[in-house]
Amino acid sequence: MNVNESAENYLETIYILSKQKPVVRSVDIAEELGYKKSSVSVAMKNLREKNHITVTKEGFIYLTDSGLEIAEMIFERHEFLSNWLISLGVDKSIATEDACRIEHVISKESFEAIKKNFR
């Protein structure tokens, strides 16, 4: 399940949008991330080729099991790390930005140790 940071961000965004909207389209992702539609289109092609998403003929994007697994992992890390940093006194906007960077590079072992010792 080796995925680059960009792919993880796209999968997490699809996951979040799927919780907010009945269907997710490339235009929704572009608006959410502030990216050009052409950039999102290339990313969706790559995610489709890696079987992390499916796209219907109507352009609706759905996470596959592998895409969902990655998205949920990144989302959990983001939420947990943001809250952890905020609890340590870090400003919410900084904590959110830092969590977004940390979530992609932290090992599973380190993340689990932080979770275990924080709760």
Side-chain angles (χ1 to χ4, degrees):
M1 190 169 55
N2 192 6
V3 181
N4 67 32
E5 182 176 335
S6 175
E8 289 176 347
N9 280 332
Y10 278 110
L11 293 169
E12 181 183 25
T13 300
I14 294 166
Y15 177 76
I16 292 167
L17 290 172
S18 71
K19 300 284 185 202
Q20 301 168 353
K21 299 175 173 280
V23 293
V24 178
R25 300 165 301 142
S26 289
V27 67
D28 301 319
I29 298 165
E31 287 175 9
E32 181 70 19
L33 296 173
Y35 295 167
K36 293 180 183 176
K37 291 176 199 157
S38 58
S39 298
V40 173
S41 180
V42 169
M44 294 307 103
K45 179 180 181 278
N46 291 335
L47 291 173
R48 207 171 44 248
E49 288 173 353
K50 292 179 179 166
N51 296 315
H52 294 312
I53 63 168
T54 58
V55 182
T56 67
K57 64 182 178 185
E58 296 86 5
F60 302 153
I61 300 166
Y62 297 97
L63 295 168
T64 62
D65 289 343
S66 67
L68 181 61
E69 182 179 348
I70 295 165
E72 288 178 334
M73 175 194 70
I74 294 299
F75 183 75
E76 177 195 16
R77 288 179 176 193
H78 183 86
E79 290 294 297
F80 182 87
L81 292 167
S82 294
N83 291 330
W84 178 59
L85 292 169
I86 291 166
S87 76
L88 295 174
V90 177
D91 179 77
K92 183 178 180 179
S93 63
I94 294 171
T96 301
E97 286 179 30
D98 287 347
C100 193
R101 287 192 285 277
I102 296 167
E103 69 195 27
H104 300 287
V105 296
I106 192 169
S107 69
K108 182 177 182 177
E109 293 76 16
S110 293
F111 179 69
E112 292 301 322
I114 291 170
K115 263 183 22 178
K116 178 182 172 188
N117 289 295
F118 178 64
R119 292 184 187 219

